Amino acid sequence: MMESSLTANNSFAQVIANEANRVIRTLHLPKPADRTSVESVLESLKAVAEPTAPDLAKTLNIRLVAIRNNIQVNQIQWGA
């Protein structure tokens, strides 16, 4: 059985934000990830976030627009 990433200390939005940050970090590796792949993953995370965390979905959309326009993308800060 698969272990869930959701715990009492992590909200659903925080888990999505953490995953998005992991993907964003791959853009800054010595051999960066393909931008198209990063965009695809962020699009998927945005779609998952839309029904339950619309503010996070908007933040992810901003990051996507920045990536598509070759603008530096910062990590997502979500929750406390």
Side-chain angles (χ1 to χ4, degrees), residues 12-24:
F12 184 68
Q14 185 63 55
V15 171
I16 294 172
N18 290 343
E19 290 301 317
N21 286 332
R22 285 183 186 102
V23 172
I24 290 168

Side-chain angles (χ1 to χ4, degrees), residues 8-61:
N9 295 331
N10 285 334
S11 70
F12 184 68
Q14 185 63 55
V15 171
I16 294 172
N18 290 343
E19 290 301 317
N21 286 332
R22 285 183 186 102
V23 172
I24 290 168
R25 279 192 297 270
T26 66
L27 292 169
H28 306 291
L29 295 172
K31 185 176 178 189
D34 177 61
R35 285 191 182 277
T36 304
S37 298
V38 171
E39 289 177 20
S40 295
V41 172
L42 291 179
E43 283 280 359
S44 296
L45 290 171
K46 184 181 89 134
V48 170
E50 284 175 339
T52 56
D55 290 338
L56 176 58
K58 289 178 190 175
T59 299
L60 289 170
N61 190 56

